[in-house]
Amino acid sequence: MHTATQVHPVSRWVIFILALGAGFSVAALYYAQPLLPLMGADLHLSIEGMGLVPTLTQAGYALGILFLLPLGDRHDRRTLILLKSAALALFLLGCSLTGSLHSLLMVSLLMGMAATMAQDIVPAAAILAPEGKQGKTVGTVMTGLLLGILLSRTVSGVVGDAFGWRVMYQLAAASIAMIGVLLWAVLPRFAAHTTLSYPALMRSMEHLWRRYPALRRAALAQGFLSVAFSAFWSTLAVMLLERFHLGSAVAGGYGIAGAAGALAAPLAGGLADKLGAGKVTQLGAVLVTVSFAMMFLMPALGVQGQLILIALSAIGFDLGLQSSLVAHQNLVYSLEPQARGRLNALLFTVIFIGMALGSALGSQLYTLAGWTGVVALATACGGIAFLIRLSESARVNRVELQSR
């Protein structure tokens, strides 16, 4: 078996399987959302109990990112992906067999941790990418990941209605088992980049955070964009119901606008290869800011116009957010190729903090200032992200001038 440190062409088939793996594994985080009423009726759960299921799954994912992703620098990534896919398939199957809230919550937490195989697949794609094509390759795999997020709720809603929630989890387990076998078959072995012990590996993350100002600015800029994104999506359904008397199906329909962002990810990666990742992050932040600011025009429009404007804004800011994410990952991976796992963990930890803050702040602001408050928060966060990217560009220019 050859190793990923050797120079060899990586086929489109391998990149396609990586994209598929990222999509199917991250989808495990979102299957539950449309199935909660069915789970609640079957297991006699309260609304609070149902709400804990996606919360525990997301918490498991956040813990997995922080504590499991750094292992990618210490061990063969191919082995880690196989182990996580086996664990995720077992936990999904276990979820379909649960009979109580406690076992459901425990399995949800573990499922979230195992679903971080999606974040092992993205650095693997960066390592396998041909010279000069890293951005495009990472972008293609991110498209799979983003489509997994986008389509998982739709698929689970349809399957749950037709066959019940347990069948959905059994099908999900089968899909992950299949993907795990495919990935094991097509991936090369990956050389370990460090011999640090696990505690030393975790401590080294603090040193990486301090050593690279570019990492801090990338994480903070993407973190602010995540606040904007999360504030919008966590309050949209409530706003549509209160203002337009539209149900959650319509709010879910707006999620399809996110497909534009998902499908644009490879384009953003290709642009990052040509123009430089820094430029693409600035363009992404501008697009997010302008897209949210457009919603200040809503009071001047009729009902139809307002609903169309929200859809256009969703397409615009999702495209900006995903372009910026792909470019930031590109930027961060290039800082220290031997530490990609830890760099990815740091980037996504800050992104998840942003997501959590966005949900909390968005709900608070919606209560205090209505939809205008949410739009103001999202626009301000997009603007802050742009300023962070500008300051990073100025810092890089200063360093280049000094080195001449």
Side-chain angles (χ1 to χ4, degrees):
M1 177 67 70
H2 58 288
T3 69
T5 48
Q6 294 169 331
V7 178
H8 60 279
V10 59
S11 71
R12 286 181 180 177
W13 168 239
V14 173
I15 294 166
F16 173 72
I17 292 173
L18 285 167
L20 218 55
F24 274 108
S25 52
V26 84
L29 300 173
Y30 301 99
Y31 288 137
Q33 290 176 357
L35 301 174
L36 291 174
L38 296 173
M39 289 177 169
D42 186 14
L43 300 173
H44 311 293
L45 307 179
S46 64
I47 289 172
E48 289 82 4
M50 284 189 269
L52 281 172
V53 176
T55 304
L56 264 285
T57 312
Q58 292 285 357
Y61 194 67
L63 288 170
I65 280 173
L66 190 57
F67 294 108
L68 298 182
L69 277 202
L71 292 171
D73 296 333
R74 176 71 180 80
H75 302 282
D76 177 7
R77 244 188 204 93
R78 179 172 173 262
T79 305
L80 289 174
I81 289 168
L82 178 78
L83 289 171
K84 283 187 182 177
S85 64
L88 183 55
L90 282 173
F91 295 142
L92 284 162
L93 186 62
C95 187
S96 78
L97 304 171
T98 53
S100 71
L101 177 63
H102 289 109
S103 58
L104 179 61
L105 293 181
M106 177 55 74
V107 169
S108 297
L109 183 78
L110 293 170
M111 209 158 58
M113 293 183 80
T116 54
M117 74 177 263
Q119 294 300 338
D120 288 306
I121 288 170
V122 179
I127 292 166
L128 293 172
E131 192 65 40
K133 294 277 179 74
Q134 193 185 65
K136 192 176 182 195
T137 306
V138 169
T140 303
V141 173
M142 285 299 290
T143 298
L145 188 143
L146 298 165
L147 287 174
I149 293 170
L150 188 75
L151 300 176
S152 52
R153 298 178 183 94
T154 312
V155 170
S156 72
V158 171
V159 173
D161 273 349
F163 305 105
W165 72 271
R166 294 180 189 273
V167 171
M168 180 61 238
Y169 276 98
Q170 285 156 10
L171 289 172
S175 74
I176 292 294
M178 179 196 74
I179 285 293
V181 170
L182 277 175
L183 286 167
W184 181 252
V186 302
L187 285 180
R189 293 193 188 281
F190 290 81
H193 293 303
T194 180
T195 54
L196 292 173
S197 66
Y198 181 72
L201 205 59
M202 296 305 293
R203 281 196 302 274
S204 72
M205 286 168 70
E206 186 193 346
H207 301 310
L208 287 168
W209 182 259
R210 287 181 178 175
R211 189 185 308 155
Y212 295 112
L215 166 65
R216 296 196 296 273
R217 286 185 175 87
L220 288 172
Q222 197 64 41
F224 273 106
L225 294 179
S226 300
V227 172
F229 176 86
S230 185
F232 174 87
W233 287 113
S234 62
T235 53
L236 178 68
V238 181
M239 186 276 288
L240 289 173
L241 183 64
E242 288 186 354
R243 189 179 285 194
F244 303 107
H245 309 291
L246 296 170
S248 57
V250 177
Y254 274 103
I256 293 166
L263 296 173
L267 301 175
L271 265 181
D273 291 332
K274 288 190 183 81
L275 302 176
K279 278 273 189 294
V280 176
T281 59
Q282 287 178 21
L283 290 170
V286 167
L287 191 49
V288 169
T289 311
V290 170
S291 298
F292 279 119
M294 276 163 48
M295 282 189 278
F296 284 121
L297 301 173
M298 280 173 64
L301 302 170
V303 170
Q304 206 78 35
Q306 290 185 41
L307 293 172
I308 291 167
L309 182 62
I310 295 168
L312 289 173
S313 295
I315 291 167
F317 77 70
D318 214 52
L319 173 52
L321 180 104
Q322 307 308 350
S323 301
S324 187
L325 176 59
V326 170
H328 274 134
Q329 282 181 295
N330 224 21
L331 220 156
V332 164
Y333 291 162
S334 66
L335 294 174
E336 196 173 314
Q338 295 78 19
R340 280 194 177 108
R342 285 164 287 167
L343 292 167
N344 204 36
L346 288 163
L347 176 65
F348 272 88
T349 298
V350 177
I351 287 171
F352 261 79
I353 291 167
M355 289 283 190
L357 268 175
S359 294
L361 290 172
S363 306
Q364 288 288 324
L365 273 169
Y366 186 78
T367 309
L368 293 170
W371 185 243
T372 309
V374 175
V375 171
L377 170 70
T379 307
C381 287
I384 292 166
F386 176 64
L387 291 175
I388 291 169
R389 294 312 316 162
L390 269 187
S391 72
E392 172 65 2
S393 178
R395 189 190 69 85
V396 169
N397 290 339
R398 269 201 314 276
V399 170
E400 283 176 0
L401 280 170
Q402 285 166 7
S403 62
R404 279 176 194 168

